[in-house]
């Protein structure tokens, strides 16, 4: 070329002689970007199982082989579908454009799907089924969240041995670099826990294997493997970081020792240092499994997908997603629900809650122009399965808790009250209406921390989605936006 640089064919590794280092780097970047844009319009090369590291552990090698096999099948389906790329799947309305792109089918997410009647399904399996068939801790009744992670990544229910090895793999990756802990220590203790968590995810980014591989010229069909390495590292480290955030913000800063004999969620529960019981470890397992994924259209998942589509690495993507999760209309809702329950409990003045009292309180709340937190859902039109599974746990373990009695009374009284208004599409409680009660019962009472627990869980699903976006070779996301005048013009056609 005119600059004296030589490059191999697009899609292969490039070599540039050191004629002009700065100029060569610029051309190198342009060449790689061109390759990505061109390749995105074609059927992506079939993902291979060639490891990013020279000697992956046996369980990671197994995991990669399973993902590669499924990705080959799904990539073939993608290529076949693109032959019919002009086929319409729905009409887009003005309401959809103005009101948050609600119900627009404009993304591909392989890991989970949200049905208005059945709730979320992980790889086609309902949460009730997942909690039943996924491996559990010895003597436990709640599915292990790392087992759900395996299911989301591979489409298969793992064996007990596969989960045991995956847990050990996560333990082996869990050490948090000193620079990250130093960055955390530099933040004022009163900084919101979600801000602290997002900052720490960015501090971890310097060790991204995806970014290192990209800079070294890895091929596009190797992206997903580097993404998986980062995903495993991030999932392994995030509960440790989250425990440090809790202890420095709300306690004495001393963090209980990491216990690699426990499972991923069980160790997180004990590192919080608020309750040593097996029941608290169990409810933590249940919570982290239930919140692991919720398809790709919610704020945090979509944000992470959007950022990741630019080939920003998993740390950048999830740090961005966390900023969305911190919003009061998304992940912050669970702490608002608990605050509302505590407010109602205070008005009761120590009396037992009754349906009549709750109905009156809710009617007064609505007349004041306020919403009742924890009831209704943007998609669901039936009771939230996550709520029902938490309710099942609470009935067994916390039925005498005064706060649970209030939650139970709300469950019976509020849906009919909301339904009477004729304005609510879904009067049933969602998971946020229950999660706070369970955390509060086991002495995790700091409401500002609840979204961090949510974030530890949702990292599983978002990381699985990131891996699959790279495995399928999904391109950069770039929807078209229009001014209101364009919609007005559409009315005249």
């Amino acid at each position: 070329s005119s600059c004296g640089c030589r490059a191999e064919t697009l899609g292969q590794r490039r070599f540039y002689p050191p004629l002009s280092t700065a100029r060569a780097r610029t051309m190198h970047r342009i060449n790689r970007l061109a390759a990505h844009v061109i390749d995105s319009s074609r059927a992506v090369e079939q993902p291979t199982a060639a490891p990013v590291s020279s000697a992956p552990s046996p369980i990671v090698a197994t995991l990669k082989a399973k993902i590669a096999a499924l990705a080959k099948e799904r990539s073939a389906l993608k290529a076949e579908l693109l032959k019919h790329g002009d086929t319409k799947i729905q009409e887009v309305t003005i309401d959809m454009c103005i009101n948050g792109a609600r119900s627009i089918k404009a993304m591909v997410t392989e890991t989970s799907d949200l049905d208005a009647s059945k709730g979320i399904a992980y790889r086609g399996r309902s949460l009730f089924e997942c909690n039943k068939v996924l491996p559990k801790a010895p003597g436990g009744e709640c599915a292990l969240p790392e087992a759900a992670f395996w299911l989301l990544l591979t489409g298969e229910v793992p064996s007990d041995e596969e989960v045991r090895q995956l847990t050990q793999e996560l333990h082996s990756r869990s050490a948090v670099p000193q620079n990250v802990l130093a960055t955390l220590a530099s933040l004022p203790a009163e900084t919101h826990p979600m801000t602290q968590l997002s900052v720490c995810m960015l501090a971890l980014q310097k060790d991204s294997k995806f970014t290192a591989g990209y800079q070294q010229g890895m091929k596009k069909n190797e992206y997903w493997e580097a993404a998986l390495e980062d995903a495993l590292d991030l999932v392994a480290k995030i509960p440790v970081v989250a425990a440090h955030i809790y202890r420095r913000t709300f306690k004495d800063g001393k963090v209980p020792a990491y216990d690699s004999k426990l499972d991923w969620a069980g160790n997180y529960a004990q590192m919080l240092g608020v309750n040593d019981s097996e029941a608290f470890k169990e409810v933590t397992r249940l919570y982290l499994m239930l919140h692991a994924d919720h398809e790709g259209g919610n704020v945090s998942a979509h944000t992470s997908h959007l950022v990741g589509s630019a080939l920003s690495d998993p740390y950048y993507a999830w740090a961005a997603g966390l900023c969305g999760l911190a919003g009061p209309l998304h992940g912050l809702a669970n702490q608002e629900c608990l605050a509302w329950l505590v407010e109602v409990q205070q008005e009761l003045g120590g009396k037992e809650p009754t349906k009549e009292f709750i109905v009156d309180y809710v009617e007064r709340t609505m007349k004041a122009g306020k919403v009742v937190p924890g009831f209704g859902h943007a998609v669901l039109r039936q009771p939230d399965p996550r709520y029902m599974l938490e309710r099942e746990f609470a009935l067994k373990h916390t039925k005498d808790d005064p706060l649970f009695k209030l939650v139970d009374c709300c469950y019976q009284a509020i849906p009919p009250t909301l339904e009477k208004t004729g304005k609510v599409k879904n009067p049933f409680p969602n998971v946020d209406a229950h999660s706070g009660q369970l955390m509060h019962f086991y002495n995790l009472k700091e409401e500002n921390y609840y979204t961090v627990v949510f974030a530890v869980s949702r990292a599983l699903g978002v990381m699985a989605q990131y891996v699959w976006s790279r495995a399928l070779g999904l391109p950069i996301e770039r929807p078209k936006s229009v001014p209101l005048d364009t919609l007005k013009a559409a009315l005249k056609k």
Side-chain angles (χ1 to χ4, degrees), residues 132-154:
K132 180 179 179 181
V133 304
L134 290 175
K136 299 163 179 63
E141 298 178 356
C142 299
L144 291 169
E146 56 263 57
F149 189 39
W150 183 284
L151 173 62
L152 294 171
L153 284 167
T154 68

Side-chain angles (χ1 to χ4, degrees), residues 148-184:
F149 189 39
W150 183 284
L151 173 62
L152 294 171
L153 284 167
T154 68
E156 299 179 7
V157 173
S159 66
D160 288 346
E161 178 59 20
E162 285 172 332
V163 173
R164 187 191 69 77
Q165 290 187 44
L166 178 60
T167 299
Q168 290 308 309
E169 179 69 26
L170 294 175
H171 286 326
S172 74
R173 295 170 179 251
S174 65
V176 178
Q178 190 56 44
N179 72 285
V180 177
L181 296 178
T183 300
L184 178 60

Side-chain angles (χ1 to χ4, degrees), residues 459-476:
L460 298 171
V462 169
M463 287 299 99
Q465 289 182 28
Y466 187 103
V467 170
W468 272 91
S469 292
R470 304 291 80 77
L472 292 175
L474 297 182
I476 189 169

Side-chain angles (χ1 to χ4, degrees), residues 372-394:
V372 180
F375 285 76
H377 191 275
V379 179
L380 285 171
R381 296 297 175 261
Q382 296 293 330
D384 188 340
R386 297 171 299 176
Y387 178 96
M388 299 308 294
L389 283 162
E390 288 190 346
R391 175 176 169 80
E392 184 179 299
F393 183 96

Side-chain angles (χ1 to χ4, degrees), residues 71-83 110:
K72 181 178 181 180
E73 174 190 319
R74 303 305 287 177
S75 294
L77 175 58
K78 173 195 161 192
E80 184 62 30
L81 290 170
L82 285 174
K83 293 178 183 177
E110 288 283 276

Side-chain angles (χ1 to χ4, degrees), residues 257-269:
Y258 192 102
D259 189 351
S260 60
K261 295 184 179 65
L262 292 169
D263 53 278
W264 182 74
N267 176 64
Y268 175 42

Side-chain angles (χ1 to χ4, degrees), residues 207-471:
D207 297 320
S208 168
K209 294 168 184 173
F210 183 91
T211 293
Y214 187 86
Q215 291 174 346
Q216 292 165 13
M218 68 177 170
K219 296 179 182 179
K220 189 177 179 182
N221 66 338
E222 296 172 340
Y223 287 177
W224 72 269
E225 295 180 78
L228 178 63
E229 292 291 336
D230 275 359
L232 290 168
D233 286 343
L234 189 153
V235 165
K237 291 173 172 57
I238 194 170
V240 181
V241 172
H244 276 268
I245 291 170
Y246 178 76
R247 298 301 302 183
R248 75 180 296 266
T249 305
F250 303 107
K251 303 298 180 181
D252 59 4
K254 297 177 182 178
V255 183
Y258 192 102
D259 189 351
S260 60
K261 295 184 179 65
L262 292 169
D263 53 278
W264 182 74
N267 176 64
Y268 175 42
Q270 72 86 25
M271 286 189 76
L272 290 172
V274 298
N275 191 301
D276 292 331
S277 71
E278 183 59 30
F280 180 54
K281 294 181 180 66
E282 272 287 271
V283 78
T284 303
R285 293 170 186 130
L286 178 66
Y287 180 97
L288 298 186
M289 187 280 287
L290 294 178
H291 288 77
D293 206 23
H294 215 236
E295 72 166 31
N298 65 75
V299 170
S300 54
H302 189 194
T303 300
S304 300
H305 172 80
L306 176 64
V307 173
S309 77
L311 297 187
S312 299
D313 63 52
Y315 297 100
Y316 280 132
W318 188 220
L322 288 172
C323 294
L325 192 66
L329 296 184
H330 188 20
L332 218 64
N334 54 7
Q335 74 179 59
E336 292 191 335
C337 288
L338 180 62
W340 185 82
L341 287 170
V342 171
E343 180 184 300
V344 175
Q345 197 173 48
Q346 289 173 347
E347 184 150 334
L348 279 165
K351 298 177 182 177
E352 288 278 318
T354 63
K355 289 176 68 175
E356 293 74 21
F357 174 86
I358 296 300
V359 168
D360 177 68
Y361 192 90
V362 168
E363 287 178 345
R364 284 189 283 122
T365 298
M366 291 190 295
K367 284 179 182 177
K370 301 177 182 178
V371 298
V372 180
F375 285 76
H377 191 275
V379 179
L380 285 171
R381 296 297 175 261
Q382 296 293 330
D384 188 340
R386 297 171 299 176
Y387 178 96
M388 299 308 294
L389 283 162
E390 288 190 346
R391 175 176 169 80
E392 184 179 299
F393 183 96
L395 284 167
K396 185 172 183 179
H397 296 278
T398 73
K399 65 179 181 179
D400 294 326
D401 175 34
L403 201 57
F404 171 69
K405 291 180 180 179
L406 176 57
V407 169
D408 183 48
C409 196
C410 289
Y411 171 73
Q412 298 177 49
I414 294 179
T417 305
L418 295 178
E419 206 163 24
K420 274 195 313 183
T421 68
K423 300 177 182 179
V424 180
K425 293 180 180 179
N426 175 14
F428 302 106
N430 61 57
V431 69
D432 295 323
H434 215 317
S435 297
Q437 177 269 325
L438 288 170
M439 294 185 198
H440 192 274
F441 179 81
Y442 289 104
N443 206 35
L444 187 59
K445 297 181 178 180
E446 295 81 6
E447 299 162 17
N448 272 357
Y449 186 76
Y450 288 0
T451 311
V452 173
V453 184
F454 191 168
V456 171
S457 172
R458 187 55 57 85
L460 298 171
V462 169
M463 287 299 99
Q465 289 182 28
Y466 187 103
V467 170
W468 272 91
S469 292
R470 304 291 80 77

